[in-house]
Amino acid sequence: MKYNFQIKLMAVRHYLDGRDGYKLTARQYQVPASSLRAWTAAYRLHGQAALLAKTSITYPAHFRAHVADVVLREQLSMRTAAARFNISDYKTVGRWVQEATKATAPAKKERKHMAQKAQKPAKQPEEMTPAELLEEVRYLRAERAYHEKLDALMKAKAEQKKKSTPSGH
């Protein structure tokens, strides 16, 4: 459900004035507590402009990639990233991160090929041709990037679960 600017602003200011916690403020203004949290985070970073209705924005590919990179590198929750970059829906950030990790993960056929290759007795680097060395470097880089992204995603998911547990506000 969409809420107008005035409702968002009044609810955020009410919460920030310290009168009530998230749950009571949300109940009073008849908005979801999760929305109030998101509006408050965005308001703290971007002021009133963050509460204005955003018409359908198409974000450029380089911006989406940058946001996904920051999320993975800094292990941000999707909500925190949405607030930081003033993106109205945290699920949008989640889709961008998912797209970025799919783009860096090797394709299924490549994975199968790489797994078979890893089982072969490895040649010593001195015995390898330049082409074989390049292939191994590419494989190792892809494998490292995949594991780093996977670790970052798992940490972000754990962080998101930790943040979504009721905190009494």
Side-chain angles (χ1 to χ4, degrees):
M1 177 174 226
K2 302 235 178 202
Y3 296 92
N4 72 37
F5 172 78
Q6 289 301 327
I7 295 292
K8 292 178 186 179
L9 185 61
M10 289 187 320
V12 167
R13 284 187 175 162
H14 180 95
Y15 171 76
L16 291 175
D17 286 345
R19 296 182 216 167
D20 295 311
Y22 280 119
K23 288 181 182 178
L24 286 174
T25 302
R27 197 172 306 137
Q28 180 178 341
Y29 288 91
Q30 298 178 356
V31 299
S34 60
S35 295
L36 179 58
R37 279 190 188 93
W39 299 337
T40 303
Y43 180 86
R44 285 179 170 149
L45 290 169
H46 305 286
Q48 290 183 11
L51 304 178
L52 293 170
K54 294 173 182 72
T55 54
S56 58
I57 297 172
T58 303
Y59 296 96
H62 65 87
F63 176 75
R64 295 190 309 263
H66 173 69
V67 171
D69 181 54
V70 170
V71 167
L72 293 169
R73 194 170 8 98
E74 297 181 21
Q75 301 173 4
L76 299 178
S77 72
M78 302 307 141
R79 291 179 194 272
T80 301
R84 182 188 288 186
F85 292 100
N86 200 15
I87 299 164
S88 59
D89 187 3
Y90 73 93
K91 293 175 188 168
T92 300
V93 176
R95 283 192 302 275
W96 296 349
V97 170
Q98 204 171 34
E99 288 170 11
T101 54
K102 281 182 185 175
T104 59
K108 285 185 179 184
K109 286 183 180 179
E110 290 177 30
R111 268 191 242 145
K112 185 177 179 183
H113 171 71
M114 289 177 182
Q116 289 172 349
K117 182 179 178 184
Q119 293 172 357
K120 292 180 186 176
K123 287 184 184 178
Q124 293 300 315
E126 298 81 22
E127 300 169 348
M128 298 172 93
T129 66
E132 290 173 324
L133 287 169
L134 277 174
E135 185 180 350
E136 182 151 341
V137 168
R138 285 187 186 116
Y139 167 76
L140 292 171
R141 284 182 179 173
E143 184 178 44
R144 185 186 71 221
Y146 174 78
H147 288 291
E148 286 174 355
K149 299 268 183 178
L150 183 61
D151 289 344
L153 274 174
M154 293 181 75
K155 287 178 184 175
K157 203 171 201 175
E159 182 84 14
Q160 190 174 9
K161 280 185 181 178
K162 197 183 303 179
K163 287 182 180 181
S164 68
T165 56
S167 61
H169 274 106

